[in-house]
Amino acid sequence: MIIREMKASDVDTVRRIAADTWRDTYTSFIPEEIQDKVLKDAYSSEEMENRFKSSLNLVAESNGAIRGYAFFSGDKDIFLESLYVHPNDQGLGIGKQLLLTGISRFQEPASISLTVYKGNPNISFYEREGFQVIKENKGDFFGHPVTFILMKKSLLM
């Protein structure tokens, strides 16, 4: 497994992984038409261009195929914007490698936080990695109600 910085040529594959992962993870509680709108918005050409300017974007590649990706922002307090591993490749340690590699790219970070949707079965992954729930916020995706969970992990020794 190689963790490397994402290239513009990886964007279409990242979009496919995002769509496949959203379908697998959220279909039981977020309608597909809402998922489509969120994905179209979050992975638009403009948004991806902004990510290349403002985020650390990593992909996990194995045997020439991208298996997952992660977007990080911040400096001392890192924010994990996204971490997705294709459903066929989950449980193989790819997410952990992406997370640890991303953290290692920051100089002396104090903490890392993320927002995850309540009902996401992968919350247990973040708990195993030492993240704790800080708070829950109600919100919506294009009118569909969701609950966001803010999780945080201290990185200070």
Side-chain angles (χ1 to χ4, degrees):
M1 181 70 49
I2 297 168
I3 307 295
R4 62 168 174 80
E5 290 204 25
M6 187 175 139
K7 299 180 271 195
S9 60
D10 299 327
V11 170
D12 285 341
T13 302
V14 164
R15 285 181 179 132
R16 280 193 299 278
I17 291 170
D20 289 350
T21 305
W22 267 71
R23 294 286 185 258
D24 188 67
T25 305
Y26 299 120
T27 296
S28 66
F29 62 97
I30 299 175
E32 281 194 33
E33 63 271 11
I34 300 298
Q35 292 181 50
D36 290 342
K37 289 178 182 178
V38 172
L39 289 164
K40 183 178 179 185
D41 185 56
Y43 293 88
S44 68
S45 295
E46 184 179 358
E47 280 299 313
M48 294 307 294
E49 196 172 301
N50 288 337
R51 281 196 180 95
F52 278 111
K53 294 176 187 170
S54 63
S55 303
L56 170 64
N57 307 304
L58 302 176
V59 295
E61 188 176 342
S62 175
N63 298 324
I66 295 174
R67 310 296 181 174
Y69 66 92
F71 304 147
F72 300 83
S73 59
D75 47 45
K76 297 294 181 204
D77 295 306
I78 304 168
F79 187 73
L80 177 59
E81 298 171 18
S82 298
L83 191 159
Y84 290 98
V85 174
H86 192 278
N88 295 341
D89 298 305
Q90 291 179 6
L92 303 175
I94 297 168
K96 183 172 184 163
Q97 286 184 50
L98 283 163
L99 180 64
L100 294 176
T101 300
I103 292 169
S104 75
R105 300 280 180 97
F106 291 84
Q107 274 197 299
E108 300 179 23
S111 68
I112 183 167
S113 58
L114 60 95
T115 301
V116 65
Y117 310 113
K118 189 171 187 169
N120 182 333
N122 298 308
I123 290 172
S124 60
F125 164 78
Y126 296 111
E127 291 171 333
R128 282 192 309 274
E129 293 305 316
F131 287 82
Q132 296 180 330
V133 173
I134 303 299
K135 65 180 177 179
E136 292 186 11
N137 293 311
K138 301 270 185 221
D140 74 81
F141 282 142
F142 299 94
H144 179 78
V146 292
T147 301
F148 301 99
I149 299 174
L150 176 65
M151 300 182 82
K152 190 171 187 174
K153 175 181 178 176
S154 175
L155 299 172
L156 298 174
M157 295 297 157

